[in-house]
Amino acid sequence: SQKIEQNSEALNIQEGKTATLTCNYTNYSPAYLQWYRQDPGRGPVFLLLIRENEKEKRKERLKVTFDTTLKQSLFHITASQPADSATYLCALRDTDKLIFGTGTRLQVFP
Amino acid sequence: EAGVVQSPRYKIIEKKQPVAFWCNPISGHNTLYWYLQNLGQGPELLIRYENEEAVDDSQLPKDRFSAERLKGVDSTLKIQPAELGDSAVYLCASSLGRSPQKLFFGEGSRLTVL
């Protein structure tokens, strides 16, 4: 069966450290993968898109990697801040649909 | 630029009652999506419109759910009758073009069915 897996347990890290979130998928061959941020009571907000032929994408303190062999994407936030605390969702394109993972809650402590 | 607007933000109804949610996408976005998000889960697609045509409604429970996008702009999602299990957040999103390069979401409509 097709699955997108993100760590359901919250990730707690100290301010200034690098947060790394994982997105694994099975039985998909996505053309690209996206990451969204969702704050409580709000809709998801697009952060980054990485295509299947790209290994890495950066935007300010954010970095995403995409390994189609491992079927995995890693999402890094460097120099994390309490304001980065939120749920982060990965989403992959399957034909014309965008399929979302369950999200990982990140808590950054001062 | 105005974002995706949804209303109401919150709705509490008793089971078997009808409910409707409204969405106004970003101006010029021809593709509109309705997603369902349960607590602790990711959004799940209910229906996707390209202009006024529903091009993917395979996940929409058609016995009680209906949607329309008249004139290819704003959209309404209706549930009739609502069941306890329909309690969730209903998210509307829009994008440019058919391929979902980047979705813009509204704040969502939180439904509680008692």
Side-chain angles (χ1 to χ4, degrees), chain B residues 34 38 67 69 73 106-107 113:
Chain B
W34 283 102
N38 287 303
R69 191 185 184 196
V73 181
E107 301 289 51
V113 182

Side-chain angles (χ1 to χ4, degrees), chain B residues 61-88:
Chain B
K62 298 180 184 64
D63 56 337
R64 297 182 300 105
F65 286 65
S66 64
E68 60 182 14
R69 191 185 184 196
L70 301 176
K71 301 180 181 179
V73 181
D74 56 350
S75 175
T76 302
L77 177 70
K78 297 178 181 177
I79 309 174
Q80 182 171 9
E83 297 179 353
L84 294 176
D86 296 331
S87 295

Side-chain angles (χ1 to χ4, degrees), chain B residues 4-50:
Chain B
V4 176
V5 179
Q6 289 189 245
S7 69
R9 285 295 315 275
Y10 305 93
K11 188 73 176 179
I12 300 174
I13 61 172
E14 294 191 346
K15 62 181 181 182
K16 300 185 181 179
Q17 293 299 306
V19 64
F21 305 110
W22 174 81
C23 172
N24 192 31
I26 292 173
S27 177
H29 282 195
N30 57 318
T31 307
L32 182 145
Y33 313 77
W34 283 102
Y35 280 87
L36 165 72
Q37 187 172 29
N38 287 303
L39 189 64
Q41 301 296 312
E44 300 172 35
L45 182 68
L46 289 173
I47 189 167
R48 174 169 63 98
Y49 282 93
E50 288 176 17

Side-chain angles (χ1 to χ4, degrees), chain A residues 65-108:
Chain A
T65 63
F66 191 9
D67 189 324
T68 55
T69 301
L70 291 179
K71 296 187 183 297
Q72 180 182 78
S73 175
L74 298 179
F75 177 81
H76 306 272
I77 305 176
T78 58
S80 59
Q81 304 166 2
D84 295 326
S85 299
T87 295
Y88 291 86
L89 299 158
C90 71
L92 55 82
R93 181 188 170 190
D94 178 43
T95 57
D96 282 340
K97 296 179 184 178
L98 200 59
I99 311 296
F100 284 84
T102 55
T104 297
R105 173 143 181 78
L106 172 67
Q107 189 76 37
V108 181

Side-chain angles (χ1 to χ4, degrees), chain A residues 24-101:
Chain A
N24 295 299
Y25 59 92
T26 54
N27 294 323
Y28 285 108
S29 296
Y32 56 72
L33 190 145
Q34 301 180 10
W35 284 87
Y36 288 77
R37 169 182 173 143
Q38 187 171 27
D39 291 286
R42 309 293 294 273
V45 175
F46 172 83
L47 295 174
L48 282 167
L49 179 153
I50 185 165
R51 301 181 186 280
E52 60 180 336
N53 60 349
E54 297 175 316
K55 296 294 184 186
E56 182 179 297
K57 203 79 166 280
R58 292 176 185 262
K59 179 183 176 183
E60 297 173 354
R61 295 184 295 111
L62 308 181
K63 184 179 85 171
V64 173
T65 63
F66 191 9
D67 189 324
T68 55
T69 301
L70 291 179
K71 296 187 183 297
Q72 180 182 78
S73 175
L74 298 179
F75 177 81
H76 306 272
I77 305 176
T78 58
S80 59
Q81 304 166 2
D84 295 326
S85 299
T87 295
Y88 291 86
L89 299 158
C90 71
L92 55 82
R93 181 188 170 190
D94 178 43
T95 57
D96 282 340
K97 296 179 184 178
L98 200 59
I99 311 296
F100 284 84

